[in-house]
Amino acid sequence: MAASFGAAQVLVASNRGPVSYEVREDGSLRAKRGGGGLVSGLSAIGPDTGALWVCSALSDGDREAVRRGVGEDGVRMLDIPADVHADAYNGIANSVLWFVHHMLYQTPLEPVFDAEFRRQWASYETYNRAFAQALAEEAAQGAAVVVQDYHLTLVPGMLRELRPDLRIGHFSHTPWAPPEYFRMLPDDIAGQVLRGMLGADRLGFLTRRWADAFTACCERFAGGLGGTRIGVHGLGADADFLRARAHEADVEERIVALREEIGTAPDGTPRRTVVRVDRTELSKNIVRGLLAYRQLLEDRPEWRERVVHVAFAYPSRQDLAVYRDYTAEVQRVAEEINERFGTPGWRPVVLHVKDDFARSLAAYRLADVALVNPIRDGMNLVAKEVPVISEAGCALVLSREAGAHEELGEDAVTVNPYDVTETARALHEALTMSPADRAERAKRLAAAATALPPARWFLDQLDALRDGARD
Ligand code: F6P
């Protein structure tokens, strides 16, 4: 039996992997390595430790790579049929589970759990099973497996059945819904999700609040946690990486271009900046952020010509109409503000919707105020990154519904994300904060934001998973 076990001692499983492929015009494949906390976290355990990352093929290029047997060491990409993946990823993970955990439904008309939902759910099960089987094949006896996110809630339970010898962890990068909202799911589906998760030895969450919500759901709908342990690991920003990357040549170039777009106030001083950078997800609350900025210009005419809202709203999950519509609404409101207040020499909102990491870092460096006002967010790394990079030390306007608020709330200007009037006032307060106060707060924000860098974050989870007695 043991002879059939794989060799990997540490395994990570996530829908999106650390590498993606593109088919070039000449038919060759180009590999692109992604960044992010998990990638740097995993690199911390070193190349010789027999670690394996199991992920899904997401694009035609990825599927072609799997078929040609092209791959990176330490990565196994699963060629799940495109229609099954689309049902599981777009239909269930992003349109149901994401909506439940971020509490995004407009409940008079949605959700509707009908036959189509059941059909997509069956794909979600198939997709989770493909991961569980691949992990069972690849894991060495007693190996540690860390499963990521809401895409893969059923994997721990399925894997436990296939391989009772493994140490299984699961980490949620999103919030978890409170019981009153979670129970919106059909009872059998809610039960399946909770039992799937409880197949793990240990479950990780970004904040105590999300961990408590999960525990409450288990107490209400699954008879408790059983033997599963719960841990909180608040992923922090990677200060060394960010500080170095933010001073590379491409970022310097973007700074020059951005300064040009921002321009100078009538008195010749550089205009102040309110910076936000988001993937355009419905939970990010970009539209209300723009409405608050409009309110600021309305209520406080002294800011006209003297401030610019630099808003980067990068594409996310564009297969879903509701995401595309949201991007269109962001563009419409930004345009409306520019038409209402703009002058020949002043564009009040500088909006970019094309992803450009170097430009994001340039905006971070120039930020006077960072606006992070999500409706609900697992953590929000932008709130942690801007204070580390901003040159003058930024003030942070932060939603109390972001996980990051648990760690940064004391030195931020806190807002209720639905209260546009309060957010407008908070922007004014942040813009008028004395330079000394701002710098002091930014220093403390940066220290809190980098307290648990990605490598430590990952190793802590691994240690806790292997050491059953720690929690
Ligand atoms: O930010 C929360 C999160 O769940 C991340 O953990 C994950 O990488 C991402 O969202 C998934 O986004 P995408 O649909 O672009 O893969």
Side-chain angles (χ1 to χ4, degrees), residues 82-418:
D83 55 340
V84 172
H85 185 267
D87 285 345
Y89 173 71
N90 287 322
I92 300 296
N94 289 335
S95 299
V96 177
L97 298 178
W98 181 273
F99 271 59
V100 168
H101 291 316
H102 291 85
M103 301 167 68
L104 292 174
Y105 283 121
Q106 306 203 9
T107 51
L109 292 175
E110 54 177 24
V112 176
F113 295 120
D114 55 6
E116 173 61 5
F117 165 76
R118 292 282 164 178
R119 195 190 60 71
Q120 292 184 331
W121 185 260
S123 294
Y124 183 77
E125 291 173 323
T126 304
Y127 156 89
N128 273 255
R129 192 162 298 286
F131 271 84
Q133 276 161 353
L135 292 164
E137 276 165 33
E138 302 282 359
Q141 172 82 36
V145 183
V146 195
V147 180
Q148 307 295 311
D149 258 326
Y150 57 102
H151 314 90
L152 301 176
T153 57
L154 307 181
V155 168
M158 290 172 168
L159 185 56
R160 167 76 56 222
E161 281 193 11
L162 295 168
R163 291 288 305 273
D165 60 298
L166 300 178
R167 300 280 179 129
I168 305 173
H170 181 285
F171 193 87
S172 290
H173 296 258
T174 58
W176 193 272
E180 291 307 321
Y181 207 88
F182 187 76
R183 72 187 302 184
M184 203 184 276
L185 289 170
D187 290 354
D188 61 320
I189 301 292
Q192 225 183 310
V193 167
L194 296 177
R195 284 194 307 278
M197 297 277 286
L198 291 175
D201 294 292
R202 192 172 186 278
L203 299 171
F205 293 90
L206 286 165
T207 70
R208 177 49 53 198
R209 185 179 176 195
W210 314 141
D212 288 349
F214 177 81
T215 303
C217 285
C218 289
E219 279 162 2
R220 289 274 296 275
F221 313 124
L225 292 172
T228 300
R229 291 172 293 131
I230 304 282
V232 174
H233 302 268
L235 175 63
D238 190 342
D240 296 341
F241 164 75
L242 284 171
R243 290 197 178 111
R245 182 68 187 86
H247 287 87
E248 284 180 21
D250 56 348
V251 178
E252 303 294 348
E253 271 170 36
R254 304 300 194 283
I255 291 222
V256 173
L258 208 50
R259 280 213 173 101
E260 187 83 5
E261 282 187 284
I262 293 165
T264 48
D267 65 2
T269 57
R271 291 194 171 107
R272 314 295 292 282
T273 58
V274 174
V275 169
R276 78 172 306 140
V277 177
D278 299 280
R279 301 205 308 165
T280 311
E281 279 153 11
L282 309 171
S283 44
K284 298 296 184 187
N285 208 23
I286 304 169
V287 171
R288 285 194 196 83
L290 286 164
L291 296 178
Y293 179 67
R294 181 170 76 187
Q295 189 75 46
L296 172 80
L297 298 179
E298 204 68 76
D299 295 348
R300 304 268 178 185
E302 68 268 27
W303 284 116
R304 296 183 195 169
E305 302 264 8
R306 292 183 50 226
V307 66
V308 168
H309 185 14
V310 177
F312 297 165
Y314 296 146
S316 169
R317 305 175 191 159
Q318 293 293 294
D319 288 344
L320 295 173
V322 66
Y323 279 71
R324 295 196 298 272
D325 294 349
Y326 187 68
T327 298
E329 182 62 5
V330 167
Q331 287 171 307
R332 191 189 67 73
V333 177
E335 201 38 53
E336 203 178 271
I337 296 171
N338 284 336
E339 273 166 24
R340 159 83 177 81
F341 295 100
T343 63
W346 174 51
R347 195 165 172 75
V349 182
V350 168
L351 174 71
H352 287 290
V353 297
K354 193 169 171 293
D355 201 340
D356 181 343
F357 184 54
R359 193 183 48 211
S360 300
L361 293 175
Y364 288 4
R365 277 179 57 184
L366 296 180
D368 291 303
V369 175
L371 174 58
V372 180
N373 66 327
I375 292 170
R376 202 169 155 88
D377 212 334
M379 175 55 71
N380 198 298
L381 275 182
V382 174
K384 292 188 163 182
E385 289 168 352
V386 193
V388 176
I389 297 299
S390 67
E391 286 174 0
C394 70
L396 174 64
V397 173
L398 181 60
S399 164
R400 65 189 187 195
E401 305 302 329
H405 193 265
E406 264 182 37
E407 296 164 50
L408 307 180
E410 265 181 40
D411 284 298
V413 184
T414 298
V415 293
N416 165 354
Y418 302 97

Side-chain angles (χ1 to χ4, degrees), residues 73 197 315 421:
D73 274 355
M197 297 277 286
T421 308

Side-chain angles (χ1 to χ4, degrees), residues 393-458:
C394 70
L396 174 64
V397 173
L398 181 60
S399 164
R400 65 189 187 195
E401 305 302 329
H405 193 265
E406 264 182 37
E407 296 164 50
L408 307 180
E410 265 181 40
D411 284 298
V413 184
T414 298
V415 293
N416 165 354
Y418 302 97
D419 190 341
V420 164
T421 308
E422 181 193 47
T423 307
R425 271 202 307 266
L427 289 176
H428 178 70
E429 185 186 331
L431 283 164
T432 49
M433 206 178 272
S434 78
D437 188 14
R438 226 175 77 168
E440 273 308 305
R441 286 192 197 218
K443 214 183 286 166
R444 289 193 295 266
L445 287 168
T450 54
L452 189 59
R456 194 66 258 157
W457 168 83
F458 185 76

Side-chain angles (χ1 to χ4, degrees), residues 45-64:
I45 63 172
D48 306 323
T49 44
L52 181 74
W53 194 321
V54 177
C55 58
S56 179
L58 301 180
S59 62
D60 292 345
D62 290 353
R63 292 203 169 79
E64 194 50 36

